[in-house]
């Protein structure tokens, strides 16, 4: 109930006023059944504007820290993220990746829409970074279609590092569903999974018109100096490195 109240009454109208969302390709989102919405990630507001424009409820996997805060503020934050469709995952343990995969498979098994950010974290500078293969494995193991989604302008409405919101123009662009049935039974093969996620990232690059950098965004955040050097070495590409598979 709270999900729909936030979407249509408590928060949605304000976001619509601030961002004046423009939507293209919404017809590519299935009206029923499981699907993975694979989005680029520019700002916290990506997780709000994407559900705002999709009729069906979207479930996101969120870091557990959002749900474990103490005091009144911590409880309110945990309640809010639960109410808006976020599911906590522990990203610290040795088995965290498998735990996240298991949770995601359960959500898709229930016929729901799952929102994922294949970059793994927000872009530190507005460029598109290398995708992680967890999404590829999930798509291969479940057979769920992957729908690329480009968020544009959310970093203007919600600038990185800022807790405030500003007026801007948000665009949400949905691409055609991507099926990977030709790789059936090949989940766990790292070359296949890399080929799948690179294909998804290429579609995201095409939809968003972002510059692509062939390193992980987390590497740049953890070690800005080394990450910047790697980013410079990985020359901006108009196309992703081609993986010759099937």
């Amino acid at each position: 109930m709270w999900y729909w109240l936030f979407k249509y009454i408590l928060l949605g109208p304000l976001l619509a006023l601030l961002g004046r969302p423009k939507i293209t390709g919404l017809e590519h989102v299935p009206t029923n059944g499981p699907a993975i919405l694979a989005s680029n990630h520019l700002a916290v507001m990506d997780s709000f504007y994407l559900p705002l424009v999709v009729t069906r409820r979207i479930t996101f996997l969120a870091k557990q820290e959002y749900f474990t805060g103490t005091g009144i503020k911590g409880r309110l934050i945990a309640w809010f993220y639960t109410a808006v469709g976020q599911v906590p995952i522990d990203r610290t343990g040795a088995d965290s990746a498998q735990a996240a995969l298991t949770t995601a498979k359960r959500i898709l098994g229930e016929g729901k829409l799952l929102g994922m950010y294949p970059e793994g974290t927000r872009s530190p500078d507005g460029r598109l970074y290398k995708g992680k293969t967890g999404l590829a494995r999930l798509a291969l193991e479940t057979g769920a279609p992957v729908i690329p989604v480009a968020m544009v302008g959310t970093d203007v409405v919600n600038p990185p590092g800022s807790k405030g919101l500003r007026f801007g123009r948000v665009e949400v662009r949905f691409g055609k569903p991507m099926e990977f049935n030709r790789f059936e039974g090949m989940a766990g093969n790292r070359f296949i999974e890399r080929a799948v996620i690179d294909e998804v990232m290429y579609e995201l690059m095409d939809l968003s018109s972002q510059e692509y950098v062939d390193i992980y965004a987390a590497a740049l955040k953890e070690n800005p100096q080394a990450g910047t050097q790697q980013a410079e070495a990985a020359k901006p590409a108009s196309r992703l490195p081609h993986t010759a598979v099937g």
Side-chain angles (χ1 to χ4, degrees), residues 11-25:
L11 189 57
L14 173 62
L15 294 180
L17 176 65
L18 288 171
R20 298 171 296 139
K22 177 182 177 182
I23 313 162
T24 56

Side-chain angles (χ1 to χ4, degrees), residues 32-114:
N32 55 71
I36 302 169
L37 300 180
S39 173
N40 63 333
H41 200 11
L42 297 174
V44 172
M45 283 295 109
D46 294 329
S47 298
F48 293 85
Y49 275 102
L50 183 51
L52 181 65
V53 303
V54 174
T55 304
R56 294 177 61 188
R57 178 168 180 159
I58 302 172
T59 300
F60 289 91
L61 301 182
K63 58 185 180 181
Q64 194 175 47
E65 290 85 341
Y66 288 149
F67 301 83
T68 56
T70 58
I72 295 177
K73 181 179 178 180
R75 289 195 293 271
L76 282 174
I77 291 174
W79 169 80
F80 174 76
Y81 277 103
T82 300
V84 297
Q86 309 266 351
V87 174
I89 56 170
D90 182 359
R91 305 190 302 178
T92 59
D95 298 325
S96 59
Q98 183 57 48
L101 182 64
T102 299
T103 300
K105 288 172 67 176
R106 174 181 58 80
I107 292 168
L108 292 171
E110 295 170 354
K112 297 178 180 179
L113 288 180
L114 177 68

Side-chain angles (χ1 to χ4, degrees), residues 146-169:
V146 177
I147 301 166
V149 186
M151 308 298 295
V152 180
T154 50
D155 53 343
V156 175
V157 173
N158 175 214
S162 171
K163 295 182 179 179
L165 298 177
R166 303 175 183 177
F167 286 99
R169 187 65 190 271

